[in-house]
Structure formats: C-alpha cells, structure tokens
Amino acid sequence: TQLLEQSPQFLSIQEGENLTVYCNSSSVFSSLQWYRQEPGEGPVLLVTVVTGGEVKKLKSLTFQFGDARKDSSLHITAAQPGDTGLYLCAGEGSSNTGKLIFGQGTTLQVKP
Amino acid sequence: SAVISQKPSRDICQRGTSLTIQCQVDSQVTMMFWYRQQPGQSLTLIATANQGSEATYESGFVIDKFPISRPNLTFSTLTVSNLSPEDSSIYLCSVEDAGVTLSTQYFGPGTRLTVL
C-alpha cells in the first residue's frame, strides 16, 4: 500500500516568516499534486509536479519533487495571512486508476 | 479546469435516515470520485463512480452503506444510508479532467453532513 507522510501537521507562524512542508513516501509516484483548502470549500489545486527534481514556483510558493519521485516539499517565503489554510499533498500511484493518495494535511496559520 | 457543484451544501439529518448528495460537472468527464473528510483533516477515498457500471469501492466502504449512481458523464450521486453520528463529515466529489493527461483532480465545494 502506498502511503504519503506529510509533516508538520500543524504550523502557526508570524507574518513574514518562512516555512517548509514535507511529503514523504517509500513508494514512487508518477506525479504529485499540492492543494490548498479553506474552510467550507473544496481543495484547490496549486501545482502538479511530474519530473524527478522538478521545481515549480507559484508567487511566494516553491514546490519541489524529489529526484526519485518519492518525496516533495512546499516552501513558502515570507508567509502572509492569506496563506492560511489546509495544505494537502496527493500522489498518483502506479495503478493508473486515476486515484490519488493523500497525505495527512498541514494546517497552516499565519498570524498578522 | 472543470467547474463542479454539489447539493446540498450542508444538511442536518436524524439517525437512521439517508442523505443523497448530488455532484454536477460543467463538462463531460470520465472519472468521478467521492471522498469523505473530517474537518481539518485529510481526504479518504470512498469510491470511484464509473459511468454505466457499478462504482468501485475502497476498503472499508460498501455499496449498501454508500450507494452511488453515475447516469452520465456529468452527474453522480452518493447516498449515505442508515445514518449514524459517526457519518457526520464533509463529503466531496472530484473529477479528473478529461483534457489532462495526468491525474489532476478538481473538487467540488463539499457537503457538510451532521447526524443527530
């Protein structure tokens, strides 16, 4: 069974601080996606990474896919209160069924 | 990306009753999924809704408890049957965009169910 371990599960920081969220597995994923979810809404896709070693940027967010495609990270530079939310990583496994395996989620609170 | 709507957005139900949740997509999609999520926690896949055939359920979820319909490529329903307080949760549908080669999924806004 493929699993994704996401850490930390909770993070409370001051505006302007940097942070990194990690998503790790012992399994290889063909792609990995990051979502952000706000209360009362469904998860919204931020980025999909496909190639080992790939780095993608979305404003102050930097996403990296590990060389072996077993892990990923999300780094936020100078976090803002608007970055507050639940961050979820999800990997597409090897079964080619379209199903995603989700990490446990990271609840981020950025205080002004 | 696909636009997905769900009805109802929330409901409060009595123990022993059932709730049917609708999921409507603004374009034809092959894959539709149903998830359950406790507030602030991650998503657990319930089943894959297959058009024209029975849904494929994940371990721990059965058709008698979570019957699913998928009459066409833009619509699906999930029924949560014989409700108990343990079924209180957020239920989300998602779709895999047919125009995307990767398993990129887009989610509906969710249905918040409270069982008394």
Side-chain angles (χ1 to χ4, degrees):
Chain A
T1 304
Q2 292 181 296
L3 295 173
L4 269 172
E5 297 289 334
Q6 189 173 342
S7 62
Q9 292 194 20
F10 300 97
L11 203 51
S12 180
I13 61 173
Q14 292 296 134
E15 179 177 357
E17 292 184 9
N18 302 330
L19 67 115
T20 302
V21 178
Y22 299 93
C23 209
N24 296 303
S25 177
S26 59
S27 306
V28 175
F29 290 94
S30 55
S31 70
L32 199 137
Q33 299 165 27
W34 286 92
Y35 294 84
R36 183 169 73 204
Q37 184 179 21
E38 299 189 27
E41 300 180 10
V44 174
L45 180 68
L46 297 173
V47 76
T48 301
V49 286
V50 181
T51 306
E54 182 176 8
V55 177
K56 284 192 173 179
K57 290 183 182 292
L58 182 66
K59 297 182 182 178
S60 62
L61 280 61
T62 302
F63 304 87
Q64 185 163 7
F65 203 11
D67 290 341
R69 290 185 289 130
K70 294 181 179 181
D71 55 86
S72 182
S73 63
L74 157 61
H75 182 80
I76 302 179
T77 303
Q80 300 298 307
D83 294 320
T84 293
L86 175 66
Y87 289 82
L88 296 155
C89 64
E92 180 189 5
S94 54
S95 60
N96 199 32
T97 60
K99 295 193 293 186
L100 293 178
I101 297 161
F102 278 85
Q104 298 96 325
T106 297
T107 298
L108 171 64
Q109 180 187 42
V110 182
K111 294 180 278 190
Chain B
S1 62
V3 177
I4 305 159
S5 60
Q6 283 185 235
K7 288 182 184 179
S9 59
R10 57 176 62 228
D11 207 343
I12 301 172
C13 299
Q14 296 295 322
R15 184 194 300 257
T17 63
S18 298
L19 176 69
T20 296
I21 303 167
Q22 299 178 6
C23 180
Q24 180 76 52
V25 191
D26 68 342
S27 58
Q28 293 188 339
V29 293
T30 303
M31 308 288 283
M32 292 181 78
F33 304 90
W34 286 99
Y35 290 86
R36 185 169 68 185
Q37 181 184 32
Q38 296 293 331
Q41 297 187 22
S42 191
L43 282 68
T44 301
L45 181 63
I46 297 171
T48 303
N50 304 307
Q51 195 268 330
S53 64
E54 276 194 6
T56 305
Y57 290 84
E58 297 300 304
S59 176
F61 297 96
V62 295
I63 188 171
D64 289 347
K65 176 68 175 177
F66 298 98
I68 289 171
S69 78
R70 179 86 193 272
N72 57 52
L73 292 176
T74 65
F75 186 78
S76 178
T77 67
L78 167 74
T79 299
V80 189
S81 304
N82 190 24
L83 290 167
S84 69
E86 291 72 34
D87 296 319
S88 296
S89 192
I90 300 167
Y91 292 86
L92 296 139
C93 69
S94 74
V95 304
E96 183 183 44
D97 196 320
V100 177
T101 57
L102 304 172
S103 272
T104 301
Q105 290 188 21
Y106 299 95
F107 287 83
T111 296
R112 182 181 288 265
L113 169 62
T114 302
V115 183
L116 302 178

